[in-house]
Amino acid sequence: MGSFERAMAVVQITLLLFGLGSWVLVEGVSRLGMRIVGGELAGNGSFPFMCSLQRSGFHVCGGTLIHRRWVLTAAHCLPIEEVWIGGVNRDVPAEFEIIPVKNYSAHKYYFLGSASTYNDIAVLELERDSKGRVVTLATNSKADEELSEQGNATAVGWGQASTSSHSAEVQLKQVSIPIIKFTDCLAFYQQLDGISLHLGYVCAGGLAEGEGTCFGDSGGPLLAGPNNVQIGIVSYAGPDCAQACLPSIYTRVSDYYCWILYASLQSLDGTGCEGFTEERVPNSTNINALSSGATCRVYDGQAIISYPTPSPPITPSASVQASPTGLSSSIGTSMPESREPNSTTSQGQGPGCFPGNAKVELASGRVISMFDLEIGDIVRVNAAHFSEVYFFSHRSPKARESFVTIETNASRTISLTGGHLLPRVDKNPISSRNIQVGDIIEGDDGSRQLVVRVRQFLESGLFNPHTRAGIIAVNGIVVSCYTEAVDAHLAHLLLLPERALRTLGISMLGTVLHQDRNGSQLSRMLSGTILIWYQYNSMARSQQL
């Protein structure tokens, strides 16, 4: 063992002695290992292929015997010095076949990051042949899915009996956990900031608190079916272990079956893996998977999963390439009252506006509706800033209009006309009529809000306040002050003279451009010009489509 490995071993032993052993140091990178939480003790001989992977005399990870000379585990467990095979009680070494590791190999494109891990798989070559029984591996996605459809799988490993424990269990444990659809798993993890899932994963657990993989059980197997076929390798258990609504993540064995044969120097002839190279992307059925849009909340320790109601067809329009930056506040809202479902498909064809009962937050902390908002009010535009409302392009309390209503996973609801621009996280802004379930928009507290439902309603009032920032927080969601009728940056630039004059107490546009037939003559002329421009653009887009 080299000096670097010795230093890592000393640090890890020190952490264990001071009760911090739940962190496993992997080649200088802090990495949460995982151990079984809940479950029950495994019987003697129940899992003869199970391996305890040892470094400096300590159990650090799990693994499985896949060939008389090879063991399968997770890449982040490396390096490993010794493998204990086939036993149950680690206090009785005589139960195990103990063999030193000759060599090990991780996937060429293994990557360990703070928000994602790719190709977390490795094989260990033993110094001599083992006499133990080998595990059966899932060889293809179809077989994998047939096993997964049976509902539950079994995770096996040594380790902590609870999240509060800091010492590994000496007795092998097993826990039965449900297999979670990958599309649902994507949806749950999208609710976490910055967490992404690689296509070569399978998810399990997370329907109840206190049962699943946790600190120290990395590299161990996820087994399915009556014959304990290995379908996964423990890789990641979320920000904390055994949490409801956060399934554990396992490297999907069937996606890497060819790599396993290739890395363990086994013949590829007749396996369907002929010509395999590590440059190949896993041939996964997850490759085109999209988030289901499901949301998950915890009630009395159990996960309650809700699915979005299918939204009505949305008329496509040209993509918008520009938008002022987004903003932030946490105004939790419920569904507005006095709303009528709209069966038409127009989805608010007029210029972008909000209904009268939409809410904004003033600098004083008071929350008011659009009906009560006035020129000169200072409203929230992000978590740290407020901006002055300097005019309304629409202010029509008596109007009845069709609005697109968007709901998020955090129960925030916003209604806006179909042409109004809505910023999206890490994507170009989009008109509300084109928003899709699964899009991520920004909350006014800086949070990532997952769109889970899109509907359409008729509501009262038609308001479009403009702030000096060009953005505004409405019902806890960051939105633009502009529409798809004119490029948002251009529109903001064209209104620069008005903003400058307002600073001097002068106005070219008056209070509003359109206010129930009131307003200046210039206001009405500009309102008519904007409406004609909007209709022209809409016709042009329709002809292009």
Side-chain angles (χ1 to χ4, degrees), residues 53-75:
L53 309 188
Q54 305 268 327
R55 188 189 311 138
S56 302
F58 288 89
H59 166 84
V60 293
C61 276
T64 49
L65 188 68
I66 59 169
H67 181 274
R68 61 182 180 273
R69 188 64 74 94
W70 295 90
V71 170
L72 181 65
T73 189

Side-chain angles (χ1 to χ4, degrees), residues 298-312:
V298 182
Y299 178 77
D300 195 23
Q302 302 294 311
I304 308 298
I305 301 173
S306 303
Y307 292 90
T309 301
S311 57

Side-chain angles (χ1 to χ4, degrees), residues 33-34 89 93 126 166 243 253 258 289 312 364 388-389 394 453 455 463 480-481:
M34 287 171 277
N89 189 335
L126 304 177
H166 293 295
Q243 287 181 288
V253 169
C258 291
S364 65
E388 180 189 2
V389 175
H394 276 77
R453 197 176 190 187
R455 295 185 290 170
F463 294 81
S480 172
C481 292

Side-chain angles (χ1 to χ4, degrees), residues 295 297 331-335 406-414 449-450 452 475 477:
T295 56
R297 59 187 178 88
I331 311 171
T333 64
S334 58
M335 294 292 288
I406 297 165
E407 298 175 38
T408 76
N409 62 309
S411 300
R412 299 188 190 185
T413 303
I414 184 171
Q449 299 281 316
L450 178 70
V452 298
N475 288 7
I477 300 294

